[in-house]
Amino acid sequence: MASLIHCLRIIWKDFVALIYPQCCVGCMTALVKNESFLCTRCFLNLPYFDASPDQNQRLSLFFSFLPKVVSVKVYLVLNKKGLAQAILYGFKYRGNKALAVLMGRHFGTSLVLKGGLKADYLIPIPLHSDKEQKRGFNQSREIARGLSEKMGIPIKDDVILRIKQDKSQSKQDRVARWQNQEEVYAGLKLDALKGKSVIVIDDVITTGATMVAVCELIGPKVREITILALATGK
Ligand SMILES: [Zn+2]
């Protein structure tokens, strides 16, 4: 019953967005001049990941077995039916490419305000070409575009390829998802990363398996890796 209500709510939001395209993706109220995708109230209430001091440290520990990973930074906390979920839903399932770029800009601004990050390249995690064709864009690349604008670091998206589309991951348990990630990514021109400092970008960290697979692939070449994700669970 709860999932039916959730589905109906999503259908209703899609319907409202169709009639009133200039609505906030978070609360569906009409946007006013100078507001873009998010109303000021939702923007000011974004669920920032580092609001809790332990969260960044816990996530860094999660990737600490990867020797080249020096830092992990996440912008938003993903709560069921929360604002971050509405934003991710907006660009993953409603095709809102510009929203992904905008969130990348916001994330980039917050990183610059905290002292910024130095790196040679931003590397968005690729989608399988079938999935990218279906969606029309790779959301991680669009987030990287926004980050690149604010951080002044170029994007390098020709070094990793997603070579196998994993079967519907939602129906698999955690261990199966990990196993399924093996062999999913392949390096194309990994020598271009030799000795470089890179920032790997994903829209969301769920099990962490995707990020680990990519970091293990590029790890032997790069000097150091920083991980960025727009959102993760608590
Ligand atoms: Zn709003």
Side-chain angles (χ1 to χ4, degrees), residues 52-76:
S52 160
D54 293 339
Q55 283 180 323
N56 264 321
Q57 202 184 357
R58 226 180 303 148
L59 200 63
S60 297
L61 278 174
F62 185 75
F63 292 102
S64 61
F65 71 97
L66 295 162
K68 299 285 176 73
V69 174
V70 292
S71 171
V72 184
K73 304 213 178 288
V74 176
Y75 190 42
L76 302 175

Side-chain angles (χ1 to χ4, degrees), residues 23-29 31 37-43 83:
C23 282
C24 169
V25 294
C27 66
M28 303 310 291
T29 57
L31 295 174
F37 299 111
L38 283 171
C39 70
T40 304
R41 187 164 167 269
C42 283
F43 180 70
L83 192 48

Side-chain angles (χ1 to χ4, degrees), residues 92-108:
K92 282 179 96 162
Y93 303 107
R94 288 200 185 113
N96 201 336
K97 184 175 164 180
L99 174 61
V101 181
L102 180 77
M103 293 314 296
R105 284 191 199 119
H106 288 325
F107 191 11

